[in-house]
Amino acid sequence: MDIQLAQWSEKLVFGLPMIDSQHKQLYDLAGTFAGNGDQIRVMKTLVMLNNYVKDHFGAEEQMLEALKYPDLAAHKLLHAQFKDLLIKLLDDARQLSLDEIASKVQYLIYGWFSNHILQVDVAYVPWVRSHTPQTQD
């Protein structure tokens, strides 16, 4: 599995501060899986990733629901699929080496999540912008 699938870049920035910050936080978290580590650190990071996913997906879905985003049901389904992949990884982690866990987590983030941001999340940006009141500085 080639993990050089995606790195944080400006193309992942939508101009929606809460979402941009949360997406950047995910990439920062993924970076903690690089290099050598011990089982406890890896498992703690998996728990942090699980918590991040709950918080981010919840915040994103709440925002889209408040703005009556028409494709919310499909978006939630994709989030549920990612959660299922993460739960499977958490279940399998006891039988995997640290390198295997790191590789799978990095693939989930740099592969699945990057594609989700660039192909699915990007689709709601115009809706959010057009349905969010703009404030004057």
Side-chain angles (χ1 to χ4, degrees), residues 48-99:
M48 289 171 56
L49 176 60
N50 189 52
N51 291 338
Y52 165 85
V53 165
K54 287 179 189 174
D55 292 344
H56 172 65
F57 286 172
E60 189 176 77
E61 290 170 7
Q62 186 177 33
M63 174 191 70
L64 295 175
E65 187 171 346
L67 298 173
K68 299 183 182 353
Y69 181 59
D71 292 328
L72 179 57
H75 203 91
K76 282 183 171 183
L77 180 62
L78 293 172
H79 286 175
Q81 291 170 350
F82 183 85
K83 289 176 190 175
D84 289 344
L85 291 171
L86 186 55
I87 288 168
K88 180 168 177 14
L89 176 57
L90 288 166
D91 288 342
D92 292 347
R94 291 180 192 95
Q95 292 98 21
L96 300 173
S97 72
L98 296 178
D99 287 343

Side-chain angles (χ1 to χ4, degrees), residues 1-6 103 106-107 110-111:
M1 207 180 296
D2 181 12
I3 300 306
Q4 301 276 319
L5 299 174
S103 177
Q106 289 177 334
Y107 179 77
Y110 297 140

Side-chain angles (χ1 to χ4, degrees), residues 4-80:
Q4 301 276 319
L5 299 174
Q7 295 179 355
W8 180 257
S9 72
E10 290 302 309
K11 70 181 179 181
L12 298 168
V13 175
F14 297 154
L16 305 174
M18 178 189 74
I19 299 299
D20 293 339
S21 172
Q22 289 177 355
H23 286 165
K24 177 71 167 85
Q25 182 183 8
L26 176 69
Y27 279 77
D28 291 345
L29 182 60
T32 67
F33 279 89
N36 296 327
D38 59 53
Q39 188 75 21
I40 292 171
R41 183 184 65 80
V42 169
M43 294 309 283
K44 282 183 179 179
T45 307
L46 274 175
V47 170
M48 289 171 56
L49 176 60
N50 189 52
N51 291 338
Y52 165 85
V53 165
K54 287 179 189 174
D55 292 344
H56 172 65
F57 286 172
E60 189 176 77
E61 290 170 7
Q62 186 177 33
M63 174 191 70
L64 295 175
E65 187 171 346
L67 298 173
K68 299 183 182 353
Y69 181 59
D71 292 328
L72 179 57
H75 203 91
K76 282 183 171 183
L77 180 62
L78 293 172
H79 286 175

